[in-house]
Amino acid sequence: MNYTSPNWSNAILMTIDTQNDFVLPDAPPARIDGTWEVTSKIRELLQVFRQNNLPILHIIRLYKADGSNVDICRREAVEKGFRIAVPHTQGGAELVDEIKPNNETRLCLINC
């Protein structure tokens, strides 16, 4: 048995924090360094999964507008007035366009 080859019958592709506020080059102070630079590789993987009807899970981070659930590493920025990963905002809750299947695709947020 080959343990390093993908098992496509059980495969799922997960992206984590690939939202505008964490990825785009002009998105400080929340930008996660290096993410924008690998976006094209993420898009290639997503295309393979979409073409083969394999599941994709986008894990996103959302902060309440009042900042009460913000990570400690970003709390000071929010206290200074930055709005980071706020639900229903283009920057915070939305995936970067480069990894979406098309321009009309938007996240559907429930109970945010």
Side-chain angles (χ1 to χ4, degrees):
M1 176 173 245
N2 184 345
Y3 293 102
T4 59
S5 296
N7 181 342
W8 295 110
S9 64
N10 292 318
I12 184 170
L13 180 61
M14 294 186 291
T15 68
I16 301 173
D17 293 343
T18 51
Q19 299 148 256
N20 290 327
D21 276 356
F22 299 118
V23 177
L24 296 178
D26 61 347
R31 182 175 185 267
I32 300 169
D33 289 338
T35 307
W36 176 252
E37 293 76 11
V38 298
T39 301
S40 63
K41 294 293 182 189
I42 295 170
R43 181 178 53 242
E44 289 175 21
L45 284 170
L46 287 165
Q47 287 173 343
V48 169
F49 271 69
R50 288 176 181 130
Q51 289 168 353
N52 290 284
N53 294 314
L54 294 169
I56 297 169
L57 175 64
H58 296 287
I59 300 169
I60 62 169
R61 179 184 316 254
L62 298 174
Y63 296 134
K64 295 179 180 179
D66 67 4
S68 62
N69 68 334
V70 172
D71 298 317
I72 292 173
C73 63
R74 295 188 178 95
R75 189 161 293 152
E76 184 178 349
V78 170
E79 288 172 353
K80 290 180 178 179
F82 287 97
R83 290 177 44 93
I84 302 169
V86 176
H88 310 292
T89 63
Q90 181 60 20
E94 200 55 57
L95 297 173
V96 291
D97 288 339
E98 289 75 10
I99 67 168
K100 294 178 184 179
N102 59 57
N103 291 334
E104 290 80 40
T105 299
R106 296 285 177 255
L107 292 175
C108 176
L109 301 176
I110 301 170
N111 297 327
C112 294

